[in-house]
Amino acid sequence: MRAVLQRVSEASVTVDGTRIAAIGPGALILVCAMRGDDGVAADALAGRIARLRMFRDDAGRMNRSLADTGGAALVVSQFTLAADTARGNRPGFSAAAAPDLARALCDRVAAALAALGIPTAKGRFGADMRVALVNDGPVTIWLES
């Protein structure tokens, strides 16, 4: 699985003009399930996200995690993270998991984060989403399981 984490002051998802999810301080997490991924990969990714030290401590160093800070997670499915741009000008997405599996794995990442005590919201799989965020730092980190 792949994920891009953005440390945020706030983030939200809007679908068809209706805000369906919003968080305050925490992380916007764009998640992509890849071919061959399974529940073990989803759980491992959630664990890494919860423990990743990307938030400032009292000294201003990135020494605190979502679990440490009580920050929230907004999980948004993002199959375009599987883009293959090695040839030509049009990305290919054949490395992404099939939609039914991808939906289940993205939901599992969100559920695993919530089970770890992280307040969690999520986008709507397969929807045309408008994602708004205020990137804090900015801090953007790529994770792969």
Side-chain angles (χ1 to χ4, degrees):
M1 296 194 73
R2 291 181 178 167
V4 171
L5 285 67
Q6 295 181 295
R7 189 174 74 191
V8 298
S9 300
E10 61 185 66
S12 64
V13 174
T14 301
V15 176
D16 295 330
T18 302
R19 180 182 272 188
I20 64 163
I23 63 167
L28 170 65
I29 305 160
L30 305 174
V31 176
C32 179
M34 307 292 288
R35 283 193 174 170
D37 285 339
D38 57 15
V40 172
D43 293 344
L45 182 64
R48 288 187 68 200
I49 291 167
R51 293 184 303 272
L52 185 68
R53 297 186 309 178
M54 62 185 285
F55 297 90
R56 293 180 193 99
D57 63 13
D58 292 338
R61 297 180 50 137
M62 289 197 310
N63 256 341
R64 300 185 74 208
S65 67
L66 274 174
D68 298 330
T69 64
L74 177 54
V75 177
V76 176
S77 62
Q78 185 74 42
F79 82 93
T80 59
L81 292 177
D84 178 359
T85 58
R87 295 179 293 164
N89 294 316
R90 183 170 188 249
F93 302 103
S94 60
D100 288 344
L101 177 60
R103 177 191 308 262
L105 292 175
C106 288
D107 286 347
R108 185 158 175 165
V109 168
L113 285 167
L116 291 168
I118 308 297
T120 304
K122 60 183 185 173
R124 183 175 300 153
F125 187 90
D128 184 14
M129 295 178 274
R130 302 288 179 249
V131 180
L133 70 136
V134 177
N135 198 319
D136 178 19
V139 173
T140 303
I141 296 174
W142 171 279
L143 288 179
E144 212 163 347
S145 64

